[in-house]
Amino acid sequence: MTASTGTPLNDIVDATADAVAGDPAAAHVVFRAAGTPEGAVGSTITLGKHTVRVDEPPALGGTDTAPNPVEVYLSALISCQVVTYRFWAQRLGIAIDDLAIEAEGDLDVRGFFGLDDAVRPGFQAIRVTVRVTGPEPATRYADLQRVVDTHCPVLDLTAAPTPVHTTLVTA
């Protein structure tokens, strides 16, 4: 259990810890998404009550009407990092005045197009830059970064293998 400091995010942790203490299965959450094609290579993704559109640039057959799938991944990584920094800063009592995060990834399209099976179709490398300002010494922000990198769910999707099971249903 966290030391309660009266902050909203710490209150959520305390309530969650209480809720799952007697039943760890209560900590299991399922997130869902569904998608359908749109345009030549785009898609419409439904996430509960939210809709996200995804497309490709013309060089990959799209019309560039929306971010492409790997850009959506980078946005998911950045947004998860923002949430995780804010969450853990409150939890650890670390003050943040300003936070900005950028990410870029290197992708070799030969893997996607099947031009070289030795090249993976996903990112070969991702670089994340976190800019944080506040009254704390740099060592406190370095400690925060280590905790964030350990606990960020979307970063974990890339840093550790995640089992994916695909089921094909045909008519």
Side-chain angles (χ1 to χ4, degrees), residues 82-148:
V82 167
V83 168
T84 308
Y85 265 91
R86 295 174 77 189
F87 175 84
W88 279 96
Q90 274 195 18
R91 193 159 178 208
L92 299 173
I94 297 174
I96 292 178
D97 291 338
D98 194 34
L99 176 67
I101 301 176
E102 299 171 6
E104 62 181 9
D106 301 324
L107 190 114
D108 184 332
V109 297
R110 293 177 300 164
F112 171 72
F113 287 121
L115 303 174
D116 185 344
D117 288 339
V119 175
R120 68 182 288 193
F123 283 123
Q124 282 74 41
I126 297 171
R127 290 169 299 286
V128 177
T129 301
V130 178
R131 288 174 176 52
V132 62
T133 61
E136 308 286 346
T139 56
R140 290 278 283 157
Y141 296 118
D143 291 341
L144 177 59
Q145 178 193 7
R146 282 189 287 282
V147 171
V148 167

Side-chain angles (χ1 to χ4, degrees), residues 36-44 54-58 60-65 112:
T36 56
E38 181 177 282
V41 294
S43 55
T44 300
V54 180
D55 197 5
E56 293 284 0
L60 295 175
T63 56
D64 203 21
T65 61
F112 171 72

Side-chain angles (χ1 to χ4, degrees), residues 7-8 33 57 85 112 149 170:
T7 60
Y85 265 91
F112 171 72
D149 287 351
T170 62

Side-chain angles (χ1 to χ4, degrees), residues 1-105:
M1 185 122 140
T2 64
S4 183
T5 60
T7 60
L9 297 178
N10 283 339
D11 293 346
I12 291 169
V13 173
D14 291 342
T16 302
D18 291 344
V20 302
D23 182 11
H28 180 81
V29 179
V30 175
F31 292 92
R32 290 182 175 79
T36 56
E38 181 177 282
V41 294
S43 55
T44 300
I45 310 300
T46 304
L47 311 150
K49 64 180 183 176
H50 304 285
T51 300
V52 175
R53 287 191 163 60
V54 180
D55 197 5
E56 293 284 0
L60 295 175
T63 56
D64 203 21
T65 61
N68 70 30
V70 293
E71 290 169 326
V72 171
Y73 167 79
L74 291 175
S75 72
L77 176 59
I78 290 170
S79 62
C80 195
Q81 286 270 297
V82 167
V83 168
T84 308
Y85 265 91
R86 295 174 77 189
F87 175 84
W88 279 96
Q90 274 195 18
R91 193 159 178 208
L92 299 173
I94 297 174
I96 292 178
D97 291 338
D98 194 34
L99 176 67
I101 301 176
E102 299 171 6
E104 62 181 9

